[in-house]
C-alpha cells in the first residue's frame, strides 16, 4: 500500500507528459487542488490579521446559535477521543496500552499547543491504522512523520496545489473501506446481536444525518445495551461448589496442613 500511494503522483505526472497536457490546463480542469496561499508559507504578515479585523457588530449571532450543537458535539467528541481511540488502536495492533502515559502525553501536547495559540491535537485513529499497516514502528519512523508533518504545516498550502486530487480521493476511499470492514464486517462475531445492531445503527445514522446525530445514536445505543444486559444478567453467580475434591496447592502444601484438611473436625 505505501508504494502504491507514493507512485500515484509520479504516475499522474507521467500520464500528463505522455498526453501532452500542461499543468495549467489540468488545474483548470480540476485535476489539482487550487493554491491556498501564494506566500509559500503559513507564517506571513497576514497570519494574525484575524485577531485585528474582527468586528463584533458584524457577527451573525443567529448563525452562532445554530452552530452550538456542532460545537458541543465536537467538544464531547474531543474529550472522548483518547479513551476510545487509544484502546481501539491497541486492539487493532495487539498492543497493551498505557492509558496514564497516553493521557499525560495528550495533556502536555495540548497545553503547549494552547500556549502558543495552536489547535487541539489528538491521536487520529485512521491515520494511525494506516501508519501501522504500512509497517511503521519505532522512534525513527515516528520522528520522520513529525519532521514531514512540520514541513507540510509550513509549506502545505503551496505543496497542495501540486498534489493530484485522485491521490486524496484514493486515500479517503482506502481508509473508509478499510475501517468499514474492520468495524462492521470483521466485528460480526465479536458482539452479540444487540451490540452489533448498535454498530449498524450508528453507521446508518452517520451516513444519513451526520456526526452530531451519530453521537446521539451512539449514546442511546450504549445506554440501551447496558440497560438490557444488566437486566438480563441479574444473577451473575451461575453455581456453587463445596471444593471438597479440589486441592489447588497439593504440591506445595505441608504435611501439617494436609492433616488439618483431612481431619473431619478441623478440616472440611
Amino acid at each position: 500500500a505505501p508504494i502504491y500511494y507514493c507512485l500515484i503522483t509520479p504516475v499522474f505526472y507521467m500520464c500528463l507528459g505522455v498526453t501532452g497536457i500542461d499543468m495549467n490546463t489540468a488545474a483548470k480542469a480540476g485535476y489539482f487542488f487550487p493554491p491556498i496561499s501564494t506566500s509559500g508559507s503559513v507564517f506571513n504578515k497576514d497570519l494574525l490579521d484575524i485577531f485585528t479585523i474582527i468586528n463584533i457588530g458584524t457577527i451573525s449571532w443567529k448563525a452562532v446559535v445554530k452552530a452550538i450543537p456542532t460545537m458541543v458535539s465536537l467538544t464531547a467528541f474531543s474529550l472522548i477521543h483518547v479513551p476510545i481511540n487509544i484502546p481501539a488502536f491497541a486492539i487493532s495492533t495487539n498492543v497493551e496500552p498505557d492509558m496514564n502515559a497516553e493521557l499525560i502525553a495528550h495533556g502536555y501536547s495540548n497545553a503547549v499547543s494552547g500556549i502558543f495559540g495552536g489547535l487541539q491535537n489528538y491521536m487520529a485513529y485512521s491515520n494511525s491504522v494506516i501508519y501501522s499497516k504500512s509497517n511503521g514502528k519505532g522512534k525513527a519512523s515516528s520522528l520522520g512523520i513529525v519532521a514531514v508533518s512540520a514541513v507540510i504545516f509550513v509549506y502545505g498550502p503551496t505543496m497542495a496545489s501540486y498534489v493530484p486530487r485522485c491521490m486524496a480521493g484514493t486515500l479517503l476511499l482506502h481508509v473508509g473501506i478499510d475501517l468499514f470492514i474492520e468495524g462492521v464486517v470483521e466485528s460480526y462475531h465479536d458482539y452479540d446481536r444487540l451490540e452489533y445492531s448498535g454498530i449498524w445503527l450508528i453507521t446508518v445514522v452517520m451516513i444519513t444525518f451526520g456526526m452530531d446525530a451519530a453521537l446521539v445514536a451512539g449514546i442511546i445505543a450504549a445506554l440501551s445495551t447496558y440497560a438490557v444486559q444488566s437486566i438480563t444478567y441479574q444473577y451473575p453467580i451461575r453455581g456453587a461448589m463445596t471444593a471438597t475434591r479440589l486441592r489447588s496447592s497439593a504440591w506445595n502444601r505441608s504435611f501439617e496442613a494436609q492433616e488439618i484438611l483431612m481431619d473431619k473436625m478441623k478440616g472440611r
Side-chain angles (χ1 to χ4, degrees), residues 132-167:
S132 176
K133 291 187 176 182
S134 301
N135 202 27
K137 59 182 66 176
K139 293 183 179 180
S141 57
S142 300
L143 292 175
I145 291 292
V146 172
V148 173
S149 300
V151 173
I152 293 176
F153 178 78
V154 177
Y155 298 103
T158 302
M159 297 171 59
S161 59
Y162 295 95
V163 177
R165 288 177 180 267
C166 60
M167 181 177 181

Side-chain angles (χ1 to χ4, degrees), residues 23-221:
M23 281 195 60
N24 292 330
T25 304
K28 291 179 180 179
Y31 287 98
F32 289 96
F33 291 102
I36 302 176
S37 173
T38 58
S39 62
S41 171
V42 294
F43 297 105
N44 53 59
K45 60 183 180 62
D46 302 323
L47 179 62
L48 301 179
D49 283 353
I50 188 174
F51 298 104
T52 59
I53 63 176
I54 295 178
N55 185 354
I56 302 297
T58 61
I59 296 177
S60 174
W61 296 106
K62 184 181 294 185
V64 173
V65 172
K66 289 183 178 180
I68 288 178
T70 302
M71 291 188 289
V72 173
S73 301
L74 290 174
T75 302
F77 197 56
S78 64
L79 291 175
I80 63 177
H81 253 294
V82 177
I84 291 179
N85 283 0
I86 298 297
F89 182 61
I91 293 173
S92 299
T93 55
N94 295 321
V95 176
E96 185 66 27
D98 185 351
M99 290 303 299
N100 288 332
E102 295 293 342
L103 290 170
I104 291 173
H106 279 75
Y108 278 127
S109 63
N110 281 282
V112 174
S113 178
I115 290 173
F116 290 97
L119 300 174
Q120 179 198 27
N121 55 87
Y122 48 80
M123 190 209 79
Y125 176 75
S126 56
N127 296 349
S128 301
V129 169
I130 293 177
Y131 172 74
S132 176
K133 291 187 176 182
S134 301
N135 202 27
K137 59 182 66 176
K139 293 183 179 180
S141 57
S142 300
L143 292 175
I145 291 292
V146 172
V148 173
S149 300
V151 173
I152 293 176
F153 178 78
V154 177
Y155 298 103
T158 302
M159 297 171 59
S161 59
Y162 295 95
V163 177
R165 288 177 180 267
C166 60
M167 181 177 181
T170 305
L171 186 63
L172 289 175
L173 278 174
H174 172 75
V175 173
I177 294 173
D178 191 64
L179 293 180
F180 179 83
I181 292 175
E182 179 182 342
V184 179
V185 179
E186 294 180 351
S187 64
Y188 177 75
H189 299 287
D190 298 334
Y191 304 99
D192 59 29
R193 291 181 178 178
L194 182 61
E195 294 171 334
Y196 191 70
S197 299
I199 293 175
W200 266 109
L201 173 65
I202 297 172
T203 303
V204 173
V205 172
M206 173 72 79
I207 295 173
T208 307
F209 300 104
M211 187 190 71
D212 298 343
L215 284 173
V216 176
I219 294 173
I220 295 175

